[in-house]
Amino acid sequence: MIHTDETTKEAVKTLEGLISILEDGKLGYTNAAEHVENAAMKTDFLEYARERALFIVELQDEINKLGKSTDTSGGGPLGALHRTWIDIKSSFTGGDTEAIINACITGEEAAIEKYKMALEENHLEYNQVSVVSKQLNSIQNTLAQIKMKAN
């Protein structure tokens, strides 16, 4: 891909959108951990939140490599679309484990959808595609783990 201001701007917008999705997920998992009774699940949810925090740093590094600052968080269209975690927070208040797990599943499915969209848009450079694909893979694995808890 040829570096132009436009391609760089699109790549940054895409990465910022994914960062805001990850921020939502980190918050969602932190809330889930606070509201779930099961100690093992609490540990898992905190681990997922930590993983999201690491993903955020990885994507911020990619934005910095493009010569852009990560101080401003707009989120772009991807971030604006992803409010699932925020919307489902209310299901945590009852401490209902099943509702919390279902909320996590919904949040992860939405994140996976946005990650796939980011890859399909084709605004990312090879190394960014590599990072985003690796994160997508991990989120899909997390989703599979959470779905197993639901049974």
Side-chain angles (χ1 to χ4, degrees), residues 49-113:
R50 265 193 299 280
E51 185 182 54
R52 296 301 171 272
L54 291 173
F55 288 173
I56 290 166
V57 172
E58 284 179 345
L59 295 182
Q60 287 172 333
D61 285 349
E62 291 303 320
I63 292 173
N64 291 333
K65 286 178 194 167
L66 292 170
K68 300 293 175 190
S69 167
T70 52
D71 295 343
T72 58
S73 58
L78 287 176
L81 290 172
H82 184 80
R83 288 291 162 247
T84 311
W85 276 110
I86 304 304
D87 297 340
I88 56 188
K89 235 191 284 181
S90 58
S91 60
F92 294 162
T93 52
D96 176 359
T97 303
E98 190 182 343
I100 292 170
I101 288 172
N102 287 334
C104 292
I105 289 171
T106 304
E108 288 299 59
E109 285 173 344
I112 288 167
E113 189 182 309

Side-chain angles (χ1 to χ4, degrees), residues 95-143:
D96 176 359
T97 303
E98 190 182 343
I100 292 170
I101 288 172
N102 287 334
C104 292
I105 289 171
T106 304
E108 288 299 59
E109 285 173 344
I112 288 167
E113 189 182 309
K114 301 307 180 278
Y115 263 77
K116 286 180 175 172
M117 209 185 298
L119 291 169
E120 286 165 14
E121 283 176 352
N122 212 11
H123 294 305
L124 303 175
E125 295 174 12
Y126 177 76
N127 56 327
Q128 295 162 351
V129 167
S130 172
V131 170
V132 169
S133 296
K134 179 181 67 78
Q135 291 184 359
L136 171 59
N137 218 352
S138 182
I139 292 169
Q140 287 169 325
N141 288 336
T142 298
L143 176 61

